[in-house]
Amino acid sequence: MTDTPDIPDTAASEPLDLKLAICVVEMLATPQLACRHRKCRRGNRCHYHVIEEGVPACVGNFRQAQLDAFVALYADAFYVRNNWRGLDLIPPEAEQRELRDAAFEVVRRTLPRHEWPAFSRRLRIRERAA
């Protein structure tokens, strides 16, 4: 892989967060579908990453549609992680809502343990509003 994927908007100014990127890759089931490392495919977990760029190795194997899905989910998860306390929880468009649901799941899996109770309360509020 020669270049880092283009991450739009808020995530573009920050370096790629490896933990968040790995969680996005696992959410999209790409270790099983696109990774060339046997350990990743068998466990459907990301075990390897490109050190210089800080991205999971399987991202280099993506086709354009897969890369677009990765970038969209990563950017929304990055946005949710940094703004979940004051975030409008339910976007008006159905397509954005599905993306936001996936982003909340990614963020839930990557938050530090001490933030879990507050994040769970926020998710319950979101479910009631739906």
Side-chain angles (χ1 to χ4, degrees), residues 3-98:
D3 58 315
T4 304
D6 295 327
I7 307 294
D9 301 336
T10 57
S13 61
E14 298 281 329
L16 206 63
D17 180 331
L18 182 60
K19 186 176 179 180
L20 193 64
I22 286 174
C23 193
V24 167
V25 164
E26 290 174 353
M27 174 74 88
L28 296 173
T30 52
Q32 184 178 9
L33 301 173
C35 193
R36 293 187 179 130
H37 296 282
R38 177 183 289 181
K39 188 174 181 180
C40 297
R41 284 192 314 270
R42 286 189 173 174
N44 198 26
R45 304 221 7 119
C46 188
H47 296 283
Y48 298 92
H49 61 278
V50 178
I51 302 291
E52 304 86 42
E53 299 166 9
V55 297
C58 55
V59 173
N61 304 330
F62 286 176
R63 294 188 176 102
Q64 189 59 44
Q66 292 170 314
L67 183 60
D68 293 344
F70 170 79
V71 168
L73 183 53
Y74 177 85
D76 204 47
F78 185 87
Y79 179 74
V80 167
R81 187 193 63 195
N82 292 334
N83 301 295
W84 63 268
R85 294 185 196 291
L87 184 65
D88 179 18
L89 299 173
I90 303 174
E93 303 89 26
E95 181 180 308
Q96 281 297 103
R97 186 172 181 173
E98 289 178 14

